[in-house]
Amino acid sequence: LEDIQGATNDQIGAGVRELHKESQAVLKEHLVLAPVMPQAEGDTVEVPAGFDASAIRLTGNVTGQPPFRGVLKHHGWRVKDFTLAKPPEGQDEFVVAPAEVELA
């Protein structure tokens, strides 16, 4: 949540490369992910009546009633399983990152 408004595009790009690598490692360590739709991106797919709108987002010329036919732009991700360690006794489980105080 740091303010990066003053950073250059090169600085942001370099930071994002490392952040992406580290984030991907954490996700793979704790989550088992599977595509929401099994087809390949670019394939023509059918979205049936009663589809889960939280799992499939329709874009483009969305008119009429399902079933809809369109091109799969992104197959989406769904968490199939996860592993999270319990925090140590007495630790606030809702603290994402602790405040830092430098002592003189």
Side-chain angles (χ1 to χ4, degrees):
L1 295 175
E2 292 182 33
D3 183 7
I4 61 170
Q5 294 301 317
T8 67
N9 286 345
D10 287 343
Q11 290 171 321
I12 293 170
V16 167
R17 184 178 317 282
E18 185 63 25
L19 178 63
H20 185 269
K21 183 176 107 179
E22 291 173 7
S23 297
Q24 191 177 59
V26 169
L27 288 172
K28 288 179 177 180
E29 179 182 350
H30 296 288
L31 302 177
V32 176
L33 298 172
V36 171
M37 297 185 78
Q39 298 88 340
E41 293 172 0
D43 284 356
T44 298
V45 296
E46 184 170 300
V47 179
F51 72 95
D52 179 355
S54 70
I56 300 173
R57 179 184 311 134
L58 301 176
T59 62
N61 186 20
V62 182
T63 58
Q65 298 297 317
F68 298 109
R69 288 181 62 74
V71 175
L72 183 62
K73 295 296 185 178
H74 186 274
H75 56 66
W77 291 110
R78 169 179 281 124
V79 175
K80 299 298 279 184
D81 195 14
F82 64 93
T83 305
L84 297 175
K86 291 201 178 275
E89 186 65 35
Q91 180 175 330
D92 184 341
E93 62 189 282
F94 294 105
V95 172
V96 176
E100 292 182 24
V101 177
E102 182 176 337
L103 306 178

